[in-house]
Amino acid sequence: MMLIPCPFCGHRNESEFTYGGPVKPDRPDPNATSDEDWVEYLTTVPNPFGPVQERWWHARGCGTWLTIWRDTRTHDIVEGPSDAE
Amino acid sequence: MQNRRLPSGGGIDRGRPLAFRFNGKEYTGLSGDTLASALLANNVRLTARSFKYHRPRGIVGSGPEEPATLVELEGRRASANQAATTVRLADGMSARSVNCWPSPGLDMGAVNQLFAGLIPAGFYYKTFKWPSWHLYEPMIRKAAGLAGAPEAPPLDGHFEAVHAHADVLVVGAGPAGLMAALVAGRAGCRVFLADERAEAGGSLLDRRLEIAGKPALDWVADSVAELKSMPNVTHLLQDASVWAYREHNCLMVNERSPANSNVLERNWRVRAGQVILATGAFERGLVFPENDRPGVMLASAAQAYVNRFAVMPGERAVFFANNDSAYGVVADFRASGIEVAAIVDSRDVVPDFARKLAGDVPIRAGSVVIGVRGKRAVRGVTVAERGGHGTEKIYCDLLLHSGGWNPTVHLFSQSRGNLRYDESLATFVPDEAAQACVSVGGAAGKLSLASALRTGAEAAAKATGTEMPNLPAVVEESYSIAPLWQVDARGAKGKAFLDIQNDVTVDDVHLALLEGYDNVEHVKRYTTGGMGFDQGKTGNINIIGAIALQKGVPLQDVGTTTFRPPYTPVSFGAIGGIREENVVLPYRHTPVTRWNLDRGAFMYEAGARWRRPGYFPRDGETFQETVNRECRAVREGVGVYDGSPLGKFELKGRDVGRFLDHIYTNLMSTLKAGQCRYGLMLTEDGLILDDGVAMRLGEHRWLVSTSTAHADTVHGHMEELLQTQFPEWNVYVTPVTSQWNNATVCGPKARELMAALGTDIDLSPKGLPFMSFADGHVAGLPARVVRVSFTGELSFELNVAPRHMRDLWERIMEAGEPFGIEPVGSEASHVLRVEKGFLSLGHEVDGTVDAHDLGMSWIMSKKKRDYVGKRSVELRRRGNAIRRELVGLLPVDPNDQIPEGAPLTPGGERCPTEGLVTACVWSVVLDRWVALALLENGLSRHSETVHARLKNATIAADVMEPVFHDPEGLRMRS
Amino acid sequence: MSYDAAFERLPINACFDLKGTESALVEWIGAEVLPDFPAEANCCRKADGVSLEHVGPRHWLLQADIDREDDLNGALRPHEAPAEVSIVRISDTMTTFRITGTDAAHVLAIGCPLDLHEAAFPEDAVSFTEFFGQTALARHCVGGFDVSVEQSFGDMMEDYLKRALR
Amino acid sequence: MQKYSIFSLFRHALNGHTTWAPAWRSPPLKASYDVVVIGAGGHGLATAYYLAKEFNIADVAVLERGWLGGGNVARNTVTVRSNYMRDASIPFYVKSVALYEGLTDELNFNLMHSKRTMIDVVQTFPKMRELRRRQLAMDIYGSTYEQISTEEVRRRIPALTGGGPDARLPVIGGMVHTDAGVNRHDAVAWGYARGADARGVELHQQTPVTKLLRGNDGTIKGVETPRGVVRAGKVAIAVSGHTTTLTETVGLRLPLRTMNLTAFVSEPVKPLVDVVVNCPDSGFYFSQSDKGEMVIGGAPDMGQSFRRDIKQHVFEDTVTAMLSLFPSFRKLKLLRQWGGHLDIAPDASPIMDETDVPGLFVTAGWWGGYKAIPAGGLTLAHLIAKGVPHPLMSPFTLSRFKHLDYVMESGTTTAR
């Protein structure tokens, strides 16, 4: 169980959050993107052996969708949401 | 007869004898005993049989490291495997040895010893193949398994799991842990201290040391008293093992004797700012022939028995050591008047301070034990010089050995900290920490009392940013060791055990290496070394030593195997806590649930953890008759169902219309206030996410309803888009699922029923047309009436606040009685929607179909340039995968029911499927079975005959439009 | 020895969900109706029997006795509020359990991962958190804590609390 | 290859077991091979074995970062079954189960394959409907799945005393999959390794691949290791979890995410349960090993992870689910827990294909890949040798993503 930094609530237990997956690049304009690029956008996410940028929803908390950088090797949160601001 | 109890001393209460049974015989111990110390006090030496060879075994250790004597508790405290050394004796306790029958003394499994030569490590991979493993397996299974499985849950009491928070978590209440807790506590930190033994003190309990000129246990008592007096020291737990070190400094503590006597065991999930690991060290044994005989014991364990329990583990002891710590034990033996015949030290030079402790006991330096006499109890040892010359037989009934000390690095290693091999200590010690933790005292390889106190204080001072305190004065001890990984003197014959519990010998490790299983993990797996109940607490490092010796490489290069949780076995009950029986999964009720139960409804799980009525049986009815009755009520008269679980969200803001256009496939922004519209939501990869109804409450206020099962998913989806993709859009989402309950009345007589209930809303077809709503009163209660229909009949969804729901429901049932109203369960609802061909996500949508396949192309807006999932659906449809499309099926024989899920194959042949039946119900309007199916190219195959393939039959069915009732939808619009 | 703690299920409160910027809300509602806006996250201000709780970014709950519901509704005028302000009456959505006694914090900790120590959760603290796996609003009351959960989980919470108090 | 039997045990017992030949050689690493397989786990070793045995391609090196058989094959719950739902999947797993059954003889190594049947304990009607769908679909491919009553479920699993009529989720029946079984995971790795070695395949442990090498023409040329460059015209990646880490060294992105799936065992007790018990509605499954330990698995943690730790709350979900059906296990003790990495595709089905880098093959996206080891190895070897996908693997190639034609096959305790 991780301790996830919420920008509103501070550090909270992972069980209060819903995992939102790795942050993808910005959604391309679906009408101006090739099939290949669209499929790549949908199916291929960053999968680093190291820090990954990802979203969590503080669903059993203040409701914030937040972004952190978490090292997939250690689960250490190397950059919290407030660090990015 | 406790004939081995010393006349004085010890931490036992001589005034409180406890009767207990062991392997069917009656004994007496004392309060403060463990089962092991009580057995030794009664001179019970042969206490167990080993796992593979069923060799006789005795008690080896004094704590959770015990590899040999596992017992099973019977009666009220019934429990499977437990190390006898960790069982606190209680009055009336009954225990028996595991893995032997009928008793350790007369064990039938001992015949295995005759075949020992045939069953080396990994033998089972090479044999038991012919004619089939199945021939041998049952016998092997029966032989394995140690204790009997628990037969019933505990009768009295329950388990608990609970959260806790601490600035500093101290693991272990030995000298280092207590010192750390004192410093952290005095600094005002919130301290959580957990210790696995019954009392604080750690190794001080087992030794005769002084602190500040007084007995060490006085210092322990003073320290505990001081800690208890500090309100910020929130937890001081004894009999509590820290068993797992998880991510982000979250640790698990298993407390086995909670103050609340109703709680059998408790699991604490402690989140700590800083962890101080004062877990001490385990003594490891030496590896020499017959080192498993009853009466061969770890020196430190014997010390504990003498000092803590006032038990004489034997009458004449020989010590065998490669380090200094055993000499302190010799001194304690002498002080207690127990005879020590000799000290066999593998080192050539014994330090002077050690010689002083030995007094007049003869020391054989440069020597080793090459054999043990006595099978069921030690009768003597054979000693020789390291090379094997100069053998001497020494009579004794106890052989106490010490091969050095292993810091208890389990938790540190679990935290992902690195270990490094320390040459001077000949063991692995903590290196770099990976989380906010620090090892102190024995756990850090600081084996002396002075260094334990110092490192404990230092760690706490650093963690709290306070000054290093003055430490109490103690006598400085020194420690040296010369590693001896195994006795390989000429003449040393017989099995030399590395893992006593799993019967792994030096020869087994050699065989594994010979056969190419040369990684430490391979050796562990091939020999099963370290995989027993003790998880190799004393033996693992000796296995590493044996590998290193055989391969001729340093221990550092062999490395350790992974330390996996738990540190000591922990009952599943404690891990689960109070979450059992009904609350194992959440459940949700509406204000009508009680009424449903009183009415005898058959209730079940129906998405998002709601308990809903499946159907309302009456006496003498079959299931089908019940469902038919409920369906007929709706088709012919009036029915009512509780639609409260549908997900509901109020959306507010300037950009709601635009937002809904983005998340629904169809156009929502054109909706006028007072109207509602059915909509479909997709995932970005074009799969169906949800369907529901959106209502426009006002210029900037909307209400979105979702299917019951997907309410949370849709909520997260909306918030994610709003917060991450469109943060500048003005949309606020407020969940109101439980602000609005609804009772939906449906059927041709629904309007009459509404009149009978009384309402101030104009419910005429013109006043409140289909897909519109109005706020007002129904039956005198404030209500919103919505005209949507999930049954195909005229329907009024009556939305009220939950405080009024039960009231409303009862008035509906009362007013509906003249119309023959029936409450309708999920089963009838299923029939009614199938008859209409309405979509059910759980049935027709299985991750492959899209709206076009479902005949709902109309809901996929062509006007909108973009919405979630649009591009993906288009892309997918440009591929050449054959689409499976929704059709209706009429079994050729109207009395043929097709099982839901049945595959459709061409001609009903045994060949790849061309579709499947998603739903099949008895239609009350057609008086026959009807079905919905997904069929390859189904939209263009109407009026074909297809075949459902069952195991021994096929059912032919005609393909048609997926609607069996009122295809024009006149009734629901009426 | 069992726990020194007890629980009761309270009748519903008047509760309004307020979303928007503080200034837009004040402008619409008028400063005299509300207590001061709590400046900090997850804390509340009380005045005249009304409690204003800052439970999320641009998100407040206004709570009072249920007999104040109509008054407050009249003052807040949820349906007429401008686009920038969201006011929703949600009095029925939550059911509240009052847990009191010297062991109240321990009993709460069986279901709640929040650090309830006064250093981390002071007297005026209020926060959404988790209670027995569900979203819950936790705050202090005299001699213990009030925990509100989604109303449909109320029976389950009662079940849980009975088990916890054994 | 040295033959293993009771007679060879007798013979070697006479000289104290000091004359056994190594199970595999330790040859020097050559500069080039026809095929390099990265990863000496189940799939890698099986691929190498079948390349040599079925396709006469023996100039193969298996390069292993750590120790042979140390990946997921060392850390799974050893369940072998074929109760899948779709035409794409069922025949593949039917083949795999059949291969497993003959493997002890074929490899002359006792895998202790025990066809001890799996019983799905059903607690909700939608699940029962789904399993009946599987049943009829599986019947087409000859995989057995029979519905049994609640009484029969309890008769066959006497320890299942929870889930009564008033329980939170009452047991409503079961499905019996007699083809299912368990075996010894280490033996699978070691047996394939020994078989491959005997046919000329070289196994190189402690040989991590740090980089793939691609030629100017875009094709694969070999791999880089700390022991030097190893050239090969064909390279197969079988490194569950680390697939993308490797492919990204040649700029190849794949639709995979790495996750952590955990399992745990209880203390060993006398035989209590003799079938594999799977409880999809509650979300756990277990079997009792020959040693007497209950080997238990549950749902994965969905977050990306290369850690092998367990998430306490995910773990508790599994434990409480188990205790609700097996209340007597409250007193049973946890002995050991561990995790493994797996990579998962958007549709949660495997990926076996030659990639956009000619000569570079992947087998990935396995979750529950243990049961697929024989068929996965055989079909990948076919693709490597012949250049065209084996018919059984064709649904699982990368091309399916071109038009988002997912193979959505929910697992038994997990869904996408």
Side-chain angles (χ1 to χ4, degrees), chain B residues 70-74 77-83 87 96 98 145-151 533, chain D residues 266-270 328 331-333:
Chain B
L70 294 183
V71 298
E72 189 178 341
L73 298 186
E74 300 164 318
R77 288 179 195 78
S79 149
N81 307 288
Q82 301 240 45
V87 176
R96 61 184 191 84
V98 304
L146 303 182
E151 283 166 6
F533 189 77
Chain D
S266 75
E267 61 183 316
V269 291
K270 290 295 176 193
S328 66
K331 287 189 298 190
L332 200 63
K333 292 187 274 301

Side-chain angles (χ1 to χ4, degrees), chain B residues 863-913:
Chain B
K863 282 189 204 143
K864 290 194 288 182
R865 190 174 172 274
D866 183 21
Y867 54 82
V868 177
K870 178 174 196 266
R871 173 67 193 266
S872 297
V873 171
E874 290 166 2
L875 179 85
R876 187 174 284 122
R877 296 193 77 81
R878 268 189 281 112
N880 46 16
I882 301 168
R883 306 303 308 175
R884 290 185 168 193
E885 295 162 337
L886 186 69
V887 295
L889 293 183
L890 289 179
V892 171
D893 179 339
N895 289 314
D896 270 350
Q897 178 186 11
I898 315 176
E900 294 186 348
L904 302 172
T905 68
E909 298 294 317
R910 188 184 200 120
C911 60
T913 65

Side-chain angles (χ1 to χ4, degrees), chain D residues 132-150:
Chain D
R132 280 200 298 246
R133 171 180 173 183
R134 287 180 192 229
Q135 175 190 33
L136 295 173
M138 286 159 62
D139 183 58
I140 293 172
Y141 297 95
S143 181
T144 65
Y145 212 33
E146 297 299 332
Q147 190 175 345
I148 55 174
S149 67
T150 303

